[in-house]
Every structure is written in structure tokens, then in C-alpha cells.
Amino acid sequence: MQTEPHSGWRRPEVLLLVMAAAWPLILSTWMALINNFAVERAAFDGADMGILQSVREIPGFLAFTFVALLFLLREQTLAIVMLLVMSAGVVLTGLFPSFVGLLVTTLIMSTGFHYFETATQSLALQWSSREQAPIVIGRMISASSFASIIAFALIWLGLQVLDLDFAALYAIAGGSTAV
């Protein structure tokens, strides 16, 4: 008996849902911890935080260069690579608690995030019919929201119950997403 090429769990929608659930694990962790980490470990003040948040937005302004990368990689491959780049940026965040270290790791994480988001939104629209696209995107948003709640619960567990430090939390979040 022959099955269709995109049946069961090997459907494009499943990949989109897995990726939609994966990125909030790291982004929610990064966002929840970055202010305290920057102040407590890297001695940031308000101006430093402003610079860090400005650097975080640079890849968003440069997201138009995503099209050029499509000459090198297929879109779904690029999405997965950028998810790994984002994971690496978050894992490295905990290892470089300095002004320059946080600027560089934030730039890496944010580049992965902006290019990943561009790819997944594009893939969702390409792989779905006009009628199904809103449903698929809605499911992706639901998966992301659920993963964010899980990430916040795990952060609380890591900080309050397991007494983990920032570097361990960043490593666990980045490693989980990469896996």
C-alpha cells in the first residue's frame, strides 16, 4: 500500500508547528532574563540597555537581505539554520556577561530570529491553500503561545526550585530549541 508523500506527521504543517513551538523556548527565556542578567552580571545601566535593545533591532531593518540568502539555501533549510543561529545566540548570551559580549550575542540571536520569522511566515503562506492559511497561521500562533507559557514555567522552576544560574538557563533553552 502506497501512502501520499505528505501524510501523517511528515506534513509541512507539522514542521511549521514544531518550529513555531521551538522558537518561543529561547526567545521567551532571553526576554525574561536579559534585563536582570545584564544588570546583575554585566553591570548594565539604562543607557547600556538602550544600546542593547537598539542592536537587537538592527537585523529587523536588514531582513530584506533574506531574499539574497535564498540564492544559497532553500527556504525551509534557511528557516532551520536561522533557528539554530538564534539558539546559538541565546546559549552564548550566558557565557559572555559583558557589554560587548551581550551586544554580539544579541545581534546573533536577533539575526536568527528575524530571518527565521521571515522564512516561517513565507512558508506558511506557500504551503497552505488560501482557505487554510489563516488556520495554519492561527495554529502556529497557538503553538508559540503555549511554548511561551511552558518556557516561563521552566524559567520559574529553574530559578526558584533548582536554583540554576543564568548561563545554565540560557544553555538549556538554546539547547532544547536546537534539539
Side-chain angles (χ1 to χ4, degrees):
M1 172 181 234
Q2 192 165 2
T3 61
E4 28 178 302
H6 297 296
S7 63
W9 66 272
R10 297 191 65 167
R11 295 174 298 142
E13 183 181 345
V14 173
L15 175 63
L16 290 172
L17 291 175
V18 168
M19 290 191 304
W23 73 263
L25 294 175
I26 49 177
L27 189 63
S28 294
T29 301
W30 188 88
M31 296 291 284
L33 298 177
I34 193 62
N35 290 330
N36 289 337
F37 179 70
V39 171
E40 292 176 21
R41 299 294 190 273
F44 271 41
D45 59 18
D48 294 336
M49 286 305 295
I51 293 168
L52 181 70
Q53 296 303 328
S54 297
V55 166
R56 185 174 60 91
E57 292 305 325
I58 291 171
F61 292 124
L62 300 176
F64 68 89
T65 60
F66 174 81
V67 175
L69 292 176
L70 292 176
F71 287 111
L72 302 173
L73 296 170
R74 292 175 37 201
E75 203 159 3
Q76 58 268 32
T77 303
L78 188 55
I80 293 168
V81 167
M82 288 301 138
L83 188 60
L84 294 173
V85 168
M86 189 167 44
S87 296
V90 171
V91 168
L92 293 172
T93 297
L95 302 177
F96 295 99
S98 67
F99 181 74
V100 172
L102 285 180
L103 292 182
V104 171
T105 59
T106 297
L107 189 62
I108 292 167
M109 180 277 303
S110 185
T111 299
F113 169 76
H114 283 93
Y115 284 66
F116 171 78
E117 268 296 290
T118 302
T120 55
Q121 292 299 314
S122 175
L123 288 170
L125 294 173
Q126 288 176 51
W127 288 346
S128 305
S129 68
R130 180 179 217 129
E131 296 77 27
Q132 285 295 110
I135 296 167
V136 170
I137 292 172
R139 287 178 181 156
M140 290 171 64
I141 292 169
S142 295
S144 294
S145 297
F146 184 72
S148 291
I149 292 168
I150 297 298
F152 293 134
L154 292 174
I155 291 167
W156 175 84
L157 181 71
L159 289 172
Q160 298 297 318
V161 177
L162 302 175
D163 198 31
L164 299 175
D165 69 343
F166 290 110
L169 290 170
Y170 283 130
I172 291 167
S176 298
T177 297
V179 169

